[in-house]
Amino acid sequence: MQILLIRHGQSEADALEVYEGRSDFPLTPAGVEQAHKMAERVREAFPPEYIWGSTLKRASETASILARTIGCPINYLPELEEHNNGKLAGRLQADTPVPRNLPPHVKLGETGESGIEFRARAEHVFSYIKHYSKPYRRIAIVSHEGMISRILESFLGLPVHHDYYFHTSEAGIHLIEYNERGRFVHFLNCDDHVRT
């Protein structure tokens, strides 16, 4: 099974430079355009048969654009939402520096999820998606940079605590695959479609 991991387009929070996490901002007009460009790229090169999407507006709007462009079914899961960043959600980035190198058990933004909790949620939803996607040759997961990173960690078998970082551009695409030989990475963070 091939799995497209796709980040949402630019959101209003990105434009305002506030922390997103669980804050629920819609796409900007530029984000809508990015989503359409991504959807056309996916339709032409590697169309999925089924789409799973986060319920937060920026991702659900991106996923619905992809679903309409491809003409395939979609299922929205709250478990695909971004890291719950507690009291950081919606705050200006310039006013509140994000804490770095938190121990895995410490909750982000005091009341959000710890790194361990976030990874466990990602492992659970990824397992669920793989199980219920068995009939399909290729699926797409439309979510957020943090969740996509946790899914990649799961796919690669990385521990919770490590020093790797996976960047995903706005409307960026990764393509991974489970096949008879094992796990195969086709590419990471393709974003040519939004830069042209």
Side-chain angles (χ1 to χ4, degrees), residues 106-165:
V106 174
K107 293 184 180 295
L108 184 59
E110 298 177 34
T111 59
E113 287 175 303
S114 69
I116 291 173
E117 290 168 330
F118 186 29
R119 175 65 180 270
R121 176 163 60 86
E123 293 276 356
H124 182 269
V125 73
F126 192 41
S127 175
Y128 176 92
I129 287 171
K130 288 186 294 181
H131 178 76
Y132 287 101
S133 299
K134 287 178 181 176
Y136 307 111
R137 190 176 66 85
R138 184 185 296 124
I139 64 167
I141 299 173
V142 181
S143 190
H144 311 269
E145 186 170 26
M147 176 55 75
I148 289 170
S149 291
R150 302 298 82 77
I151 289 173
L152 285 169
E153 290 167 356
S154 176
F155 177 78
L156 295 169
L158 294 176
V160 171
H161 194 71
H162 59 80
D163 59 359
Y164 297 97
Y165 176 73

Side-chain angles (χ1 to χ4, degrees), residues 2 4 6 38-49 66 70 137-140 173-175 186-187 190 193:
Q2 293 186 348
L4 294 158
I6 302 170
M38 172 276 297
E40 283 301 320
R41 171 82 171 115
V42 169
R43 183 184 63 78
E44 292 170 4
F46 20 74
E49 299 169 76
L66 178 61
I70 302 296
R137 190 176 66 85
R138 184 185 296 124
I139 64 167
I173 306 167
H174 309 267
L175 179 58
H186 287 267
F187 59 79
C190 173
H193 48 280

Side-chain angles (χ1 to χ4, degrees), residues 15 54 108 166:
S54 163
L108 184 59
F166 302 101

